[in-house]
Amino acid sequence: DLYMHPCTGIIGQKFVLTSNGLIVWGGLVDMCLLADGGYWPKLRACDSSNQYQIWTYENGQFKTGGGTKCLTLLSDIYPDTNTPNRLVALDCTSVTSTWYD
């Protein structure tokens, strides 16, 4: 499971969107964000040929390569959830999370 927490600057909190669309995690070598068509994004070995690991950043949203799923905080969709800082990959809508750089 992936959760958002206040930034402390540690390497395990660093992610980079590469020019080829991978979101690479800084905590381990060669680990990338995967949205495999399910609800919960995961970290898996980087594979630039895997369509579920290709992301774009458009209008403040991180979208899967197909542009149909967006990386979102669970609380933006379900405000009363017990895990408000948990990340999900959901269909992109006007209420899916907007991220700022």
Side-chain angles (χ1 to χ4, degrees), residues 1-44:
D1 297 345
L2 298 173
Y3 295 87
M4 293 294 290
H5 292 282
C7 295
T8 62
I10 62 171
I11 193 73
Q13 289 186 333
K14 295 184 182 198
F15 289 83
V16 174
L17 178 61
T18 65
S19 61
N20 61 346
L22 296 172
I23 297 179
V24 181
W25 181 49
L28 290 173
V29 176
D30 196 38
M31 293 299 284
C32 290
L33 192 60
L34 168 79
D36 64 357
Y39 196 66
W40 309 111
K42 303 159 184 64
L43 291 172
R44 295 290 186 259

